[in-house]
Amino acid sequence: MKAYLILCLILCPAWLQAQHTPEKRVVQYVNPFIGTGAVDTNSLSGSNIPGPTTPFGFVQLSPDTRDAPDDPASGYDYNDKTIVGFSHTHLSGTGVADLFDVLLMPTQGEVKLSPGKSQVSRSGYRSTFSHQQETARPGYYQVLLQDYGINAELTATAHTGMHRYTFPASTQSHIVIDLDHSLNKKRGYWECRIIDAELKVINNHTLEGYRIITGWASLRKVYFHAEFSKPFDNVVMANGNNTPYPTTLLNGTALKAALNFSTTDKEQVLVKVALSAVSIDNAKMNMAAELPGWDFDNISRQCADNWEKELSKIKIEGTPEQKQIFYTGLYHAFTQPNNIADVNGDYQATDLTIGNAPDKVQYSTFSLWDTYRAAHPLYTLLQPERTAGFINTMIRQYKTYGYLPIWQLWGEENYCMIGNHAIPVIVDAVLKGIPGINAQDAYEAIKASSVTEHPGSPFAAWEKYGYIPEDIESQSVSISVEMAYDDWCVAQLARKLGNTADYNHFMERSAFYKNLYNVKTGFFQAKNKDGNWVTPFNPLSYGGNGGSPYTEANAWQYSWYVPQNVPGLINLMGGNKAFTAKLDTFFTLANKPGDVNGNASGFIGQYAHGNEPSHHIAYLYDYAGEPWKTQYYVSKVLNELYNNSSSGYAGNEDCGQMSAWYIFSSMGFYPVNPANGIYAIGSPILKAAAITLPNGKTFSVSVKNPGKPNIYIQSVKLNGKPYTKTYITQNDIISGGRLEFIMGTKPNKSWGITPAGVPPVWGYNN
């Protein structure tokens, strides 16, 4: 008894301390520098931003390391040595640049607003910086601008950015405002030019303005209202290379201003900048609603707390590196789409009128060719209310523009990429019963978008030939197989709504992929309108975004794109053995030098994880009786093509898709067909995961023996019962429950190989 009491006295303090140790916040695992700069030839930059933003917020305040951002599209490259300033809007993870609105930069000494023609490509106020004096976390960014000794700190609300600059003592302290900063105006995919701009001093602590600019989005209106905690002594402005001069109002197409101060040592000057796509008055309203005061630290904490709430919807157990990759991925996935509506619901519609969203949300930045695959299915699980907002936004675009978004930016359609992939996003959400969506309105929009001719969607040829001829539309193979999938999605919603004629018609179109399958070569190939195959044919030859039958891929990568009917694809290729043999070749056939383009990276044979056409392919072995090979290749991608460095992605992060692949796959499953309610099982690498569902239930995953070399499934249980299917369903997840894996070093070739264990085409009861 005495020994027991002594043991209690020894252990109790530690036990009590353990009971009162606060759980580590998940935001502490987010590393915003992941995906901000490539370091090897098998990866792209990721093109992510390190600066602060709120979940799905309008403002994304981040440093730009380039005067004319182009590549990486985020404007920030981890490998650069200088910063040109801090702009308030960015794209995160895209392959093409735009935005970069209202750049601020604190400086000291002489400032050159007009560097002259010899230096026109370089700002006169950039500064060197070091990563050793730079910090980023959700809700906060900090860097020391070494040329000036100024410490810059940033935080954000949904519509405003807040800056805190700590200056050394000087009679020549400045804050530059640059309305000329943009994507590269001299080269790139789109012509970029500023049509009009204005800077206006309201008083000695307030400045307002706007710019109207073309670029990836063809016409953007950006209005801002800025307030300063310290009155400025005077202002000089310049338009282009003209000599700066004191004024309180300037109009032009290349505007810059320097607000001049005298500062004492370590004096802090704060700036608040609110944006609107509607008007300056709305920008002021946004600031009054979200950022009336000057408490920088409190705003930063609120932003971090917002992220904590969103990221905590999934709790995981794993290695520190896995947690960093996972939660940073979830952070990137929740960075967009962006709510461009002001706090009163005003937004600029696609017809350039001012609309008002009754739910105060109008989303933009729909990178649908990427995100429909896994990011949007992730949103349906974790963000159902926002999913309804996404879809109602898409329907509003249809009502003012005539069809659904393809790639929508700043509320405008830019026609980037192929297919009509708002369709699977909408159909998936309706079939999952996401509240707040009118199914009849949704069907009207998807049907009209499937028959109305618009750029990249030649439906008359589609109906006439049963495929897209290459001599009518370039990228014909990719467009054909992707439109066939979209048609399948239209058919499923038609069936749900009892429209049998439409169901039959669109199901017939969903099988048009067969018309481009060449049985002699075993590939989907291009035909001309005369029905002849386009020659010469090289399955290793890459296409970009035109001039080839394939979009950012080759024939090898597009051979596997029939997510609506994988059994039909298997039969087309000659059955399970022929199918898996070709998959084996796909994952082992090396590229020839020069065969790839800038969107191809992260290779395992011909599999290119750095771009979306490959993302579902590793899971296809599940459908053909060899699930252990799915486990092998999924684990290989998880362990080798993601890391927690600046080059943590194998390609552009693409607005959440690259992250969503990791989030799903690390938990052990993935939506090969993102609209059929089926998730194919892969190879989980986390020790545990728990998804808190909107209905209050929890779906949890636990893994015994996780991680390398235990990459193979030995057995599975679902809700305590042995489970031999290579898939789970949407109903399994939303009903709550527990999925348990036992992993090992050698494949269990008897698990999941029965016909009943193969993922079906359809996962719903209706």
Side-chain angles (χ1 to χ4, degrees):
M1 183 67 178
K2 183 177 180 181
Y4 174 78
L5 290 174
I6 292 172
L7 183 64
C8 282
L9 290 173
I10 294 172
L11 295 180
C12 280
W15 181 84
L16 288 170
Q17 182 180 7
Q19 301 310 302
H20 292 89
T21 299
E23 183 179 0
K24 192 169 184 179
R25 283 161 56 95
V26 298
V27 289
Q28 297 182 50
Y29 296 111
V30 175
N31 176 7
F33 290 116
I34 293 177
T36 57
V39 296
D40 60 61
T41 58
N42 198 36
S43 68
L44 300 181
S45 71
S47 204
N48 294 111
I49 61 168
T53 185
T54 59
F56 306 97
F58 183 40
V59 164
Q60 296 180 337
L61 177 56
S62 194
D64 294 335
T65 60
R66 308 286 175 92
D67 289 282
D70 187 0
D71 183 20
S74 64
Y76 177 95
D77 192 328
Y78 193 83
N79 301 297
D80 287 343
K81 306 300 181 184
T82 60
I83 285 174
V84 65
F86 310 100
S87 61
H88 288 76
T89 59
H90 293 84
L91 292 170
S92 180
T94 58
V96 179
D98 204 353
L99 309 185
F100 312 111
D101 298 302
V102 191
L103 181 138
L104 270 63
M105 181 66 169
T107 73
Q108 282 194 325
E110 182 183 4
V111 59
K112 296 180 180 180
L113 296 183
S114 304
K117 293 182 180 180
S118 63
Q119 302 180 52
V120 71
S121 65
R122 291 182 63 83
S123 70
Y125 41 83
R126 67 169 57 245
S127 172
T128 57
F129 76 106
S130 167
H131 296 306
Q132 283 67 47
Q133 297 169 310
E134 184 186 34
T135 306
R137 59 179 183 266
Y140 181 79
Y141 173 85
Q142 170 276 327
V143 67
L144 180 67
L145 301 173
Q146 295 175 330
D147 290 4
Y148 311 118
I150 297 172
N151 190 54
E153 299 171 279
L154 311 175
T155 190
T157 68
H159 294 86
T160 68
M162 193 172 193
H163 309 240
R164 182 165 65 186
Y165 302 139
T166 303
F167 286 88
S170 175
T171 58
Q172 287 188 304
S173 294
H174 321 281
I175 297 177
V176 172
I177 296 182
D178 187 343
L179 295 191
D180 188 39
H181 182 68
S182 71
L183 66 96
N184 197 315
K185 298 183 182 72
K186 294 187 176 182
R187 64 186 179 91
Y189 292 94
W190 289 270
E191 177 188 5
C192 176
R193 61 189 178 91
I194 297 171
I195 298 171
D196 190 27
E198 179 180 274
L199 284 168
K200 184 178 182 179
V201 175
I202 305 302
N203 52 46
N204 65 357
H205 61 270
T206 308
L207 186 139
E208 296 175 344
Y210 68 85
R211 75 173 180 179
I212 302 172
I213 185 172
T214 68
W216 194 4
S218 60
L219 182 67
R220 293 193 306 111
K221 297 178 180 180
V222 186
Y223 301 90
F224 78 94
H225 172 84
E227 296 182 6
F228 298 77
S229 64
K230 178 183 175 70
F232 38 85
D233 298 332
N234 56 75
V235 181
V236 295
M237 299 185 187
N239 182 32
N241 289 328
N242 296 329
T243 302
Y245 62 96
T247 183
T248 58
L249 177 65
L250 189 63
N251 295 84
T253 58
L255 301 185
K256 298 178 184 178
L259 286 64
N260 305 314
F261 307 83
S262 293
T263 56
T264 59
D265 189 39
K266 297 183 180 180
E267 182 175 1
Q268 292 184 340
V269 179
L270 284 80
V271 190
K272 302 185 294 185
V273 181
L275 299 189
S276 168
V278 173
S279 68
I280 290 175
D281 285 342
N282 276 26
K284 291 172 63 176
M285 175 183 60
N286 291 339
M287 181 179 289
E290 294 179 359
L291 193 53
W294 292 95
D295 191 338
F296 180 97
D297 292 330
N298 185 52
I299 294 300
S300 180
R301 282 192 297 270
Q302 288 179 11
C303 187
D305 288 345
N306 287 338
W307 279 112
E308 180 70 18
K309 177 183 176 183
E310 299 298 336
L311 302 182
S312 294
K313 291 177 178 179
I314 305 182
K315 292 290 186 69
I316 68 168
E317 295 181 41
T319 67
E321 181 179 10
Q322 288 170 347
K323 289 182 177 181
Q324 282 197 15
I325 298 169
F326 187 95
Y327 284 114
T328 303
L330 203 55
Y331 175 84
H332 285 151
F334 291 173
T335 299
Q336 66 288 299
N338 309 111
N339 179 20
I340 64 172
D342 294 320
V343 293
N344 67 347
D346 286 351
Y347 66 93
Q348 181 177 287
T350 49
D351 59 2
L352 302 184
T353 61
I354 303 303
N356 186 271
D359 52 0
K360 305 297 188 291
V361 292
Q362 177 75 2
Y363 288 99
S364 188
T365 319
F366 286 117
S367 183
L368 289 162
W369 186 79
D370 307 294
T371 57
Y372 85 93
R373 304 166 195 264
H376 278 282
L378 184 67
Y379 299 145
T380 63
L381 285 177
L382 303 179
Q383 302 285 349
E385 290 185 5
R386 286 191 170 95
T387 293
F390 301 157
I391 290 166
N392 288 328
T393 292
M394 295 175 186
I395 293 172
R396 283 193 284 263
Q397 170 169 322
Y398 158 71
K399 290 181 177 180
T400 57
Y401 208 62
Y403 45 85
L404 292 164
I406 297 167
W407 213 121
Q408 192 223 65
L409 177 61
W410 207 265
E412 297 183 11
E413 185 55 62
N414 62 34
Y415 305 111
C416 184
M417 306 311 297
I418 61 170
N420 295 267
H421 297 317
I423 292 171
V425 171
I426 291 173
V427 170
D428 181 47
V430 174
L431 294 178
K432 287 175 178 174
I434 300 295
I437 303 168
N438 184 302
Q440 290 292 344
D441 286 351
Y443 185 69
E444 176 189 334
I446 66 171
K447 181 181 177 181
S449 298
S450 300
V451 297
T452 303
E453 294 267 340
H454 53 279
S457 298
F459 292 114
W462 186 234
E463 295 272 11
K464 179 178 180 179
Y465 297 100
Y467 62 93
I468 302 300
E470 180 68 13
D471 52 355
I472 289 180
E473 185 74 33
S474 181
Q475 307 176 74
S476 61
V477 174
S478 296
I479 293 173
S480 294
V481 297
E482 293 194 19
M483 280 175 43
Y485 173 66
D486 292 335
D487 285 344
W488 181 88
C489 293
V490 178
Q492 306 319 305
L493 189 50
R495 180 174 69 169
K496 181 177 177 63
L497 298 177
N499 193 328
T500 303
D502 281 358
Y503 169 75
N504 291 333
H505 178 67
F506 285 105
M507 280 300 289
E508 180 183 3
R509 286 190 2 178
S510 77
F512 282 178
Y513 68 88
K514 297 177 183 179
N515 298 331
L516 290 183
Y517 186 76
N518 188 337
V519 294
K520 292 182 179 180
T521 64
F523 291 97
F524 291 117
Q525 289 180 227
K527 286 181 181 178
N528 287 324
K529 57 179 178 287
D530 61 9
N532 293 321
W533 300 110
V534 174
T535 57
F537 171 67
N538 177 5
L540 292 169
S541 179
Y542 264 80
N545 298 97
S548 165
Y550 306 98
T551 301
E552 297 185 4
N554 63 17
W556 270 107
Q557 287 142 17
Y558 263 102
S559 289
W560 315 100
Y561 191 83
V562 189
Q564 71 273 24
N565 189 5
V566 179
L569 178 63
I570 292 172
N571 290 336
L572 202 61
M573 290 188 174
N576 283 354
K577 289 186 178 180
F579 184 79
T580 55
K582 187 159 187 167
L583 273 175
D584 292 345
T585 302
F586 172 75
F587 279 104
T588 54
L589 179 63
N591 278 305
K592 297 177 181 178
D595 279 342
V596 300
N597 67 1
N599 285 296
S601 56
F603 279 96
I604 303 172
Q606 287 300 299
Y607 179 90
H609 192 70
N611 209 15
E612 280 65 29
S614 289
H615 275 194
H616 67 293
I617 301 174
Y619 285 90
L620 296 182
Y621 285 108
D622 279 354
Y623 295 77
E626 297 185 5
W628 62 90
K629 291 181 180 177
T630 283
Q631 296 155 34
Y632 174 82
Y633 285 113
V634 167
S635 66
K636 189 173 180 66
V637 174
L638 286 166
N639 289 305
E640 297 179 12
L641 296 179
Y642 290 84
N643 62 68
N644 61 351
S645 75
S646 66
S647 61
Y649 296 104
N652 294 321
E653 199 274 335
D654 285 321
C655 292
Q657 171 58 28
M658 197 72 68
S659 295
W661 190 97
Y662 184 93
I663 291 162
F664 274 123
S665 296
S666 67
M667 294 189 294
F669 47 92
Y670 182 82
V672 170
N673 178 341
N676 74 343
I678 296 290
Y679 302 84
I681 288 176
S683 177
I685 62 170
L686 301 175
K687 183 178 180 181
I691 304 172
T692 300
L693 300 163
N695 60 11
K697 297 180 180 180
T698 299
F699 183 78
S700 64
V701 177
S702 65
V703 182
K704 185 177 180 181
N705 307 322
K708 295 190 298 185
N710 301 309
I711 64 173
Y712 294 109
I713 293 173
Q714 305 301 297
S715 63
V716 181
K717 288 183 179 179
L718 180 62
N719 298 326
K721 298 179 180 179
Y723 194 76
T724 58
K725 297 178 180 179
T726 59
Y727 67 94
I728 57 173
T729 68
Q730 176 72 9
N731 190 59
D732 291 330
I733 294 175
I734 63 172
S735 296
R738 184 177 181 84
L739 186 64
E740 302 172 77
F741 294 92
I742 296 179
M743 309 298 291
T745 59
K746 296 181 180 180
N748 176 1
K749 294 186 178 181
S750 65
W751 180 84
I753 63 170
T754 64
V758 172
V761 170
W762 186 244
Y764 295 106
N765 293 325
N766 58 329

